[in-house]
């Protein structure tokens, strides 16, 4: 097995050049070495290591060992390697590897140290040929070797290599090891294979909290919150005590589901178990409350944080932005600056998002420019996307097209899709056609692209283009993503799909919705059948199609199953349509209810017949 395994990695192996003699540069640290040489026996230069603060100074100490013929002393080399791997960089790991290759008979501990360093560096893949080298020396990996190498596979997204290491784990009888199994689970989830991670977990004889954390985190990262929450309940049944890592993932799942009641229960659980002392948990609570539609609770958590770091401030800024409070987001940023806290990429993402959803073009350009000019932060693809969205929403379509076309990086389909949505909002058919050509050059498998342009052409009366796009979708096997909305009632999340309501167990929901639409019409609601782009449909059919949109089904379910006057919270997987937006405003007025609807872009707070977005979304 060892020879076979080594063969799999031999092509990846790199052999660093041997260590050469180094002339110590002149510096204050060098003066210390000179004094040390005069006043102390040359056999003990290691006492200088605690004063060493950089790789440059470490090289000076090593130069001193070369001068005193101690450069091959195992004790010295081990200490030097430990220093290089504590805070690994490309340069320090390269130097550590040269030192490592100068050791004629390295032991497993040194291999583990090197692997751990690589796993935390920017070149984690280098741990794999090192592992092959360990096997070629005839050593058996131990409990510390596998976690480091598997972490390296996780960081490098090296699934195939991770699977081969898993095979060796099984061969050595370590597949139930409490240190190795969590690393295997994390490796699979980081490589987007959460089902394999679950198989590892299920085969554990007695999983500990760390193993539960690994699989719960995996499900949360893969947007499978229900499985994660089920495992959290299982953990509680076993009387295992969750950690701050557990709660970060669980709160993330509540946010994904938009399950506010469950999130509040989790908040109480956090306080009861003293986990609210962790800044990251408080930040996760802000994010959870914001994504569940309760901005007030997010503000409460933020204002009661004893220490606010950059992620905490950023979470609050993003929360204000997604709830349409653009000016408040900017005001919070100014408070953050006064508090002396440095912003990061997420901070500016929230600020740009706030500007785009409030039409603040000048402010948006100012923040975008300050990222690199003032804070030395390189904008990422999401920041570019916010700028395209800002320009597109405000009607600056040609400027947005030029912005994408002149980016210093290759544009992604998402950037062009953002502009395509803006073309649809402003009815620019010709630019929309140009944009979709650019999208298809990169990806022609996304059903939403065809639908947006098809609807845009239909509104302009271009039915030939509509027929062509629908045929193109069929020929390419592209499917439209169905609209789905969810609502939490009595700690149970109910999902509804457009045109469907049968998951309630009867047709009572359809009947209630029919009656609701009649009431809305009496107060001025008129179904916008122009949003149904099927020429073969009559007006009555179009109206029925609109009536059973997923948002309306979820809101109707909320009206039937929640106390009068209580807030209805709905989460949708797509952008809310104009007709559902209009209907929600009327429902909020007739039934004196606040409706909070989270779509794929932002929150809409409906109250007294008005929406917080000001019909700008």
């Amino acid at each position: 097995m060892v020879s076979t395994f080594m063969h799999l990695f031999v092509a990846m192996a790199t052999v660093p050049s041997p260590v050469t003699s180094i002339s110590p540069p002149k510096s204050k640290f060098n003066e210390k070495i000179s004094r040390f040489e005069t006043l102390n026996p040359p056999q003990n230069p290691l006492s200088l290591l605690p004063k060493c603060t950089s790789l440059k100074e470490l090289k000076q100490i090593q130069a001193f060992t070369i001068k005193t013929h101690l450069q091959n002393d195992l004790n010295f080399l081990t200490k030097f390697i430990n220093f290089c791997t504590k805070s690994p960089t490309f340069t320090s790991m390269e130097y550590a590897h040269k030192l490592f290759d100068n050791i004629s008979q390295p032991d497993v501990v040194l291999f583990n140290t090197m692997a751990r360093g690589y796993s935390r560096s920017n070149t984690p893949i280098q741990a794999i040929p090192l592992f092959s080298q360990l096997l070629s020396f005839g050593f058996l990996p131990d409990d510390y070797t596998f976690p480091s190498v598997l972490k390296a596979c996780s960081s490098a997204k090296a699934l195939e290599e991770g699977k081969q290491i898993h095979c060796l784990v099984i061969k050595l009888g370590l597949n139930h090891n409490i240190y190795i199994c969590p690393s295997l689970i994390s490796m699979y989830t980081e490589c987007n294979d959460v089902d394999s991670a679950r198989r590892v977990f299920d085969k554990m004889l007695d999983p500990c909290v760390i193993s539960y954390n690994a699989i719960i985190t995996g499900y949360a990262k893969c947007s499978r919150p229900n499985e994660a929450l089920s495992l959290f309940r299982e953990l509680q049944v076993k009387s295992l005590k969750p950690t701050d890592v557990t709660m970060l993932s669980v709160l993330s799942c509540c946010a994904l589901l938009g399950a506010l009641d469950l999130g509040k229960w989790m908040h109480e659980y956090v306080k009861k178990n003293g986990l609210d002392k962790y800044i990251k948990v408080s930040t996760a609570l802000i994010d959870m409350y914001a994504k569940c539609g309760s901005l007030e609770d997010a503000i409460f958590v933020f204002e009661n944080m004893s220490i606010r770091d950059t992620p905490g401030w950023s979470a609050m800024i993003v929360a204000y932005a997604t709830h349409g409070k653009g000016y408040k987001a900017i005001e919070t940023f100014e408070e953050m600056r006064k508090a002396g806290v440095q912003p990061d990429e997420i901070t500016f993402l929230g600020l740009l998002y706030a500007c785009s959803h409030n039409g603040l073009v000048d402010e948006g350009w100012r923040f975008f420019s300050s990222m690199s000019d003032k804070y030395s932060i390189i904008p990422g693809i999401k920041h570019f996307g916010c700028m395209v969205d800002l320009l597109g929403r405000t009607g600056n379509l040609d400027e947005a097209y030029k912005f994408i076309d002149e980016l210093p990086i290759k544009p992604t389909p998402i950037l062009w899709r953002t502009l395509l949505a803006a073309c649809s909002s402003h009815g620019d058919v010709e630019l929309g056609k140009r944009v979709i050509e650019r999208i298809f050059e990169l990806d022609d498998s996304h059903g939403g692209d065809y639908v947006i342009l098809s609807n845009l052409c239909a509104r302009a009366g271009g039915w030939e283009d509509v027929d062509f796009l629908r045929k193109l979708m069929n020929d390419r096997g592209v499917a439209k993503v169905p609209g789905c909305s969810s609502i939490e009632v009595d700690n149970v999340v109910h999902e509804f799909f457009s045109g469907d309501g049968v998951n309630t167990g009867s047709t009572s929901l359809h009947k209630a919705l029919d009656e609701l639409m009649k009431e809305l019409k009496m107060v001025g609601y008129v179904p916008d059948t122009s949003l149904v782009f099927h020429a073969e449909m009559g007006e009555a059919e179009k109206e029925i199609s609109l009536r059973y949109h997923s948002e309306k089904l979820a809101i109707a379910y909320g009206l039937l199953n929640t106390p009068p006057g209580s807030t209805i919270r709905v989460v949708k997987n797509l952008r809310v349509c104009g007709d559902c937006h209009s209907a929600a405003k009327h429902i909020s007025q007739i039934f004196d209810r606040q409706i909070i609807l989270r779509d794929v872009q932002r929150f809409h707070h409906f109250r007294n017949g008005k929406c917080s977005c000001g019909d700008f979304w």
Side-chain angles (χ1 to χ4, degrees):
M1 177 66 184
V2 170
S3 60
T4 304
F5 193 83
M6 185 179 69
H7 175 72
L8 293 171
F9 292 110
V10 70
M12 303 171 64
T14 57
V15 182
S17 57
V19 176
T20 57
S21 297
I22 302 169
S23 298
K26 294 181 179 180
S27 67
K28 292 182 179 179
F29 193 79
N30 193 37
E31 292 174 6
K32 293 178 185 177
I33 292 179
S34 299
R35 291 197 301 270
F36 177 85
E37 185 178 1
T38 304
L39 299 174
N40 297 278
Q43 295 87 346
N44 189 32
L46 284 179
S47 61
L48 283 170
L49 266 178
K51 302 174 184 178
C52 185
T53 59
S54 68
L55 184 61
K56 181 180 178 180
E57 293 178 351
L58 180 76
K59 289 180 178 180
Q60 292 178 49
I61 298 176
Q62 199 215 348
F64 179 69
T65 65
I66 293 171
K67 185 177 179 180
T68 53
H69 307 292
L70 295 170
Q71 70 270 25
N72 294 322
D73 187 282
L74 183 60
N75 191 30
F76 290 129
L77 291 173
T78 301
K79 295 289 185 182
F80 292 158
I81 290 171
N82 281 331
F83 181 89
C84 291
T85 57
K86 279 183 180 178
S87 300
T89 64
F90 176 81
T91 306
S92 71
M93 287 307 302
E94 185 179 44
Y95 193 75
H97 209 140
K98 289 178 180 180
L99 293 170
F100 178 81
D101 284 340
N102 221 40
I103 300 173
S104 57
Q105 292 183 323
D107 57 14
V108 175
V109 175
L110 269 175
F111 273 107
N112 293 346
T113 302
M114 287 294 298
R116 185 169 61 252
Y118 273 127
S119 71
R120 293 182 294 167
S121 74
N122 292 327
T123 55
I125 198 71
Q126 291 298 327
I128 297 174
L130 189 76
F131 183 64
S132 176
Q133 188 178 352
L134 167 72
L135 299 177
S136 70
F137 278 26
F139 289 117
L140 279 179
D142 60 18
D143 291 355
Y144 298 96
T145 313
F146 283 113
S148 294
V149 180
L150 288 168
K151 184 180 178 182
C153 291
S154 299
S155 302
K157 301 293 187 289
L159 179 60
E160 291 307 312
E161 289 81 1
K163 286 180 177 179
Q164 294 173 49
I165 293 169
H166 188 183
C167 289
L168 186 58
V169 167
I170 295 171
K171 186 174 180 66
L172 295 176
L174 298 172
N175 47 309
H176 297 299
N177 187 283
I178 60 171
Y179 300 107
I180 297 173
C181 283
S183 299
L184 278 169
I185 294 168
S186 296
M187 183 275 295
Y188 279 118
T189 56
E190 286 295 327
C191 294
N192 299 315
D193 189 358
V194 71
D195 293 324
S196 293
R198 182 59 188 264
R199 285 192 287 273
V200 173
F201 177 82
D202 287 340
K203 289 179 181 179
M204 292 185 70
L205 301 177
D206 189 20
C208 60
V209 173
I210 296 173
S211 300
Y212 271 100
N213 286 351
I215 189 65
I216 290 172
T217 300
Y219 275 129
K221 286 182 177 178
C222 294
S223 297
R224 291 169 62 172
N226 290 318
E227 289 97 328
L229 292 172
S230 176
L231 284 165
F232 176 70
R233 296 185 188 100
E234 184 180 301
L235 179 150
Q236 290 179 294
V237 169
K238 291 185 176 181
S239 299
L240 293 173
K241 189 174 181 180
T243 66
D244 57 317
V245 176
T246 321
M247 299 316 301
L248 289 175
S249 297
V250 171
L251 290 170
S252 172
C253 291
C254 294
L256 282 169
L257 291 168
L260 180 62
D261 290 342
L262 181 59
K264 286 186 173 182
W265 185 91
M266 292 295 178
H267 190 180
E268 291 301 318
Y269 185 88
V270 162
K271 290 190 289 186
K272 182 179 178 181
N273 289 274
L275 296 171
D276 53 341
K277 65 183 178 182
Y278 296 98
I279 299 176
K280 286 186 177 180
V281 173
S282 294
T283 301
L285 283 166
I286 294 170
D287 181 67
M288 181 274 294
Y289 277 127
K291 288 180 178 176
C292 289
S294 181
L295 185 59
E296 297 81 5
D297 285 314
I299 294 170
F300 178 81
V301 174
F302 177 74
E303 290 180 344
N304 284 277
M305 289 178 71
S306 56
I307 300 174
R308 298 172 188 167
D309 59 359
T310 298
W313 282 98
S314 299
M316 197 64 244
I317 289 169
V318 171
Y320 279 125
T322 53
H323 283 266
K325 307 287 185 182
Y327 290 102
K328 188 63 180 175
I330 295 172
E331 181 185 320
T332 303
F333 174 66
E334 295 303 326
E335 292 176 9
M336 177 183 182
R337 290 180 58 196
K338 290 177 183 177
V341 180
Q342 283 291 106
D344 62 6
E345 295 88 348
I346 304 299
T347 315
F348 281 101
L349 199 60
L351 289 169
L352 295 175
Y353 197 88
C355 293
S356 71
H357 283 269
N358 287 269
L360 307 175
V361 179
D362 292 339
E363 290 85 346
W365 276 118
R366 177 166 57 86
F367 286 127
F368 182 76
S369 299
S370 69
M371 286 181 67
S372 53
D373 295 345
K374 189 174 181 179
Y375 297 99
S376 300
I377 298 172
I378 300 173
I381 199 70
K382 290 184 178 180
H383 301 102
F384 295 140
C386 283
M387 288 306 299
V388 173
D389 191 43
L390 171 58
L391 295 171
R393 285 176 183 276
T394 52
N396 299 294
L397 301 180
D398 291 331
E399 189 179 353
Y401 189 97
K402 183 180 178 183
F403 178 84
I404 299 175
D405 218 22
E406 295 179 353
L407 283 177
I409 62 172
K410 184 179 180 181
T412 63
I414 293 175
L415 288 181
W416 290 114
R417 284 179 186 130
T418 303
L419 181 53
L420 181 63
C423 291
S424 177
S425 298
H426 293 280
D428 194 329
V429 178
E430 293 309 312
L431 184 59
K433 290 179 179 179
R434 286 168 56 198
V435 170
I436 206 165
E437 287 176 1
R438 301 298 295 268
I439 294 173
F440 286 167
E441 289 173 4
L442 302 168
D443 178 15
D444 62 0
S445 64
H446 194 273
D449 303 330
Y450 298 84
V451 173
I452 290 173
L453 185 61
S454 176
N455 293 347
L456 175 57
C457 292
R459 282 198 299 272
W463 293 105
E464 289 184 5
D465 291 328
V466 172
D467 292 338
F468 172 77
L469 286 164
R470 287 177 180 169
K471 184 178 184 303
L472 201 60
M473 286 183 71
N474 290 330
D475 292 345
R476 293 176 176 175
V478 178
K480 177 184 175 182
V481 177
C484 175
S485 297
S486 61
I487 182 172
E488 181 192 21
V489 177
D490 296 330
N491 292 322
V492 177
V493 176
H494 304 266
E495 289 187 333
F496 302 91
F497 291 86
S498 291
D500 175 45
V502 295
N503 58 340
T504 57
S506 71
T507 60
S508 60
L509 182 63
H510 284 94
K511 292 177 181 177
L513 191 52
D514 293 341
E515 291 300 317
L516 176 60
M517 290 300 107
K518 290 179 184 178
E519 290 188 52
L520 295 186
K521 287 179 180 180
M522 293 174 64
V523 295
Y525 163 72
V526 178
D528 188 358
T529 54
S530 68
L531 296 173
V532 182
F533 304 106
H534 292 277
E536 69 278 5
M537 276 190 180
E539 287 299 304
E541 290 177 293
K542 289 181 179 180
E543 188 176 326
I544 291 172
S545 175
L546 286 172
R547 184 182 306 169
Y548 298 129
H549 275 194
S550 64
E551 304 98 306
K552 294 189 185 78
L553 288 164
I555 292 171
Y557 187 85
L559 288 172
L560 289 172
N561 295 280
T562 58
S566 61
T567 300
I568 296 173
R569 289 180 170 84
V570 174
V571 177
K572 187 181 179 183
N573 66 331
L574 303 173
R575 185 176 183 266
V576 61
C577 83
D579 186 73
C580 289
H581 192 271
S582 174
K585 288 197 291 185
H586 283 90
I587 293 171
S588 70
Q589 186 172 28
I590 294 174
F591 293 93
D592 193 24
R593 293 276 199 125
Q594 181 181 12
I595 300 171
I596 300 177
L597 194 156
R598 183 181 106 192
D599 71 5
V600 73
Q601 293 186 336
R602 62 169 296 156
F603 278 90
H604 299 265
H605 295 251
F606 301 95
R607 191 195 294 269
N608 299 324
K610 295 181 181 179
C611 180
S612 59
C613 73
D615 297 338
F616 181 76
W617 85 99

